Amino acid sequence: MDSPTHEAFDDLINTLTEAKNRWASEEWNLRNEQEVAEAHKNLVHMLEAGMVCYFAMDPVYPRMTRMFTPERKYFGDNPDAMYYDSPISREHAYVMRGKMKGAVYVSITIDAGMEDGAFSSGTLAIINDKEFDVAEDGSFELWLGGEKRDRNWLDMPEGTSRITTRHYFEDETSAAANPEKNPEWSIERVSPAPQRPYNSPDDIAAGLRRVSKFIRSRTLDRPAFGQGGTPPAFVSFTPNEFPAPTPPGDYGWSAIDAHYCMAPYYVGDGQALLITGRWPDCRMANLALWNRFLQTYDFASANISINRAQTKLEDDGSFRIIVAHEDPGVPNWIQTQGQPFGMAFWRFMLAEGEVETPKAELVDLASLT
């Protein structure tokens, strides 16, 4: 029996098959069995994320959805943060309600170009908790679009397609692995709209295509690591050498008010990456390890990241952070979980003044005291 969903379902299956055969292969610079397996795991995570966040998306009837969990990771999750998103449209006005839940910093950004499931083409607007009122119990209310308000209001520029929320924490343990930190977001359209119809075959086909586009735009449409033009200024391709932390500008799906810094790490057996520096004056800062697909390692069971609250400082206020496979017997150990190669990513949220560039040196593990 004919249905527009046949073609859309075939497109999703073909995208997954092509990504398995090409993106998860030597063509995208994968070098060994472990990296191929992690690419397949990432595809499964993205399939789940696409189904959860994009299959039934509707800006007329929006829904705040948690993007990452300890078991669902893609394109840059964070052990010290919780992210939610929802489709929105300039054709409507909305009210959002949430709670701080102990976060040290909360921001909300608007992204462009994501209507069909594609990767964000740019960050259009941002508001953070310095710019909206929070009640004594940590609750707050934000208005999107509609009549301009003096406080707790965010305009929706041309190109608005999706809203992303970020709750950042500096706890002794991973906030993203703690269900009590759930910020309890909600979003409601306040402008009039027609009654929502039951899903038609065309609606279901469109949802399948969004899932396919979500996966393709984050795999086959992106260049292999180290290829594809000039990377953002905050990205280095040189192992164990960090670039200067810089704001991302309007780089798609980024927090405009952050400083970012990323470089690959490489640590062999019996070695450790000794990182020195100083935390800046900011609202939140951390360092996390990702695999090459920008998925954190298992933060629910291991210390694969470090934030300021978890850091034991030197007498002069500086830090020494150790990235190693084995416990070096000194403070501030970040576990590689046995992975010799990966990505090290710094976030500095709402920094004031200069953000010092972390320095890294590969040393013998036994030399650390």
Side-chain angles (χ1 to χ4, degrees), residues 114-130:
M114 304 179 74
E115 298 91 344
D116 62 353
F119 190 78
S120 171
S121 60
T123 302
L124 299 177
I126 186 170
I127 189 171
N128 62 54
D129 62 81
K130 286 183 62 176

Side-chain angles (χ1 to χ4, degrees), residues 55-119:
F55 176 66
M57 64 176 276
D58 185 347
V60 179
Y61 294 89
R63 182 183 71 250
M64 299 301 296
T65 304
R66 185 173 174 182
M67 298 165 62
F68 310 118
T69 71
E71 296 80 29
R72 181 175 68 241
K73 306 174 182 181
Y74 59 95
F75 225 90
D77 67 292
N78 184 352
D80 294 316
M82 287 195 183
Y83 304 79
Y84 280 69
D85 73 348
S86 174
I88 56 175
S89 168
R90 292 183 80 236
E91 297 180 4
H92 302 285
Y94 306 89
V95 60
M96 301 174 64
R97 297 179 178 91
K99 294 183 178 180
M100 295 293 291
K101 298 301 289 281
V104 296
Y105 179 58
V106 172
S107 73
I108 298 96
T109 57
I110 290 178
D111 288 284
M114 304 179 74
E115 298 91 344
D116 62 353
F119 190 78

